[in-house]
Amino acid sequence: MPDADYSLFVDWANDGSFLTAGDDISADFLSATVARGFASPLARVSGVGRANFTLNNIGQSYSPPLQASRLPRRPVRFDMVYNAVTVVLFRGFLERIRPAPGVARERRVVLE
């Protein structure tokens, strides 16, 4: 059985395209949590989808004070490719960028 491949894109330039250089951040992707659907079995309206993406931030590429283009409210797309079929798992906007503090800890960042 083939494995699934995951891709994470952030439109840092906010130009409506995920094809700009630097928008594909899949190489730094570590994990994702995606929540969507209904709050309960009897809910009549679906809830707002939310996602958290953990990235490797060793080079501090995702630290807003050091990178002027790393701003919230940028479009995000999270895809899965399985058996040559691409499925969009999440599409939304960055709400918050939380780099891990300090220099002695793991260099990671969470995109919400």
Side-chain angles (χ1 to χ4, degrees), residues 13-97:
N14 203 16
D15 59 5
S17 167
F18 292 104
L19 302 175
T20 308
D23 286 354
D24 184 355
I25 58 174
S26 304
D28 294 325
F29 172 73
L30 297 174
S31 67
T33 303
V34 178
R36 59 179 178 250
F38 293 89
S40 72
L42 299 177
R44 298 177 129 208
V45 178
S46 63
V48 175
R50 298 190 61 84
N52 288 333
F53 304 103
T54 302
L55 305 175
N56 185 350
N57 195 27
I58 290 175
Q60 299 178 343
S61 301
Y62 308 104
S63 299
L66 302 175
Q67 303 292 330
S69 66
R70 303 312 190 228
L71 299 171
R73 300 304 304 160
R74 300 296 187 238
V76 178
R77 191 179 81 210
F78 182 52
D79 297 341
M80 176 185 70
V81 178
Y82 182 76
N83 273 350
V85 176
T86 301
V87 178
V88 177
L89 298 175
F90 182 81
R91 193 169 186 135
F93 293 89
L94 283 179
E95 184 175 314
R96 196 174 330 179
I97 302 170

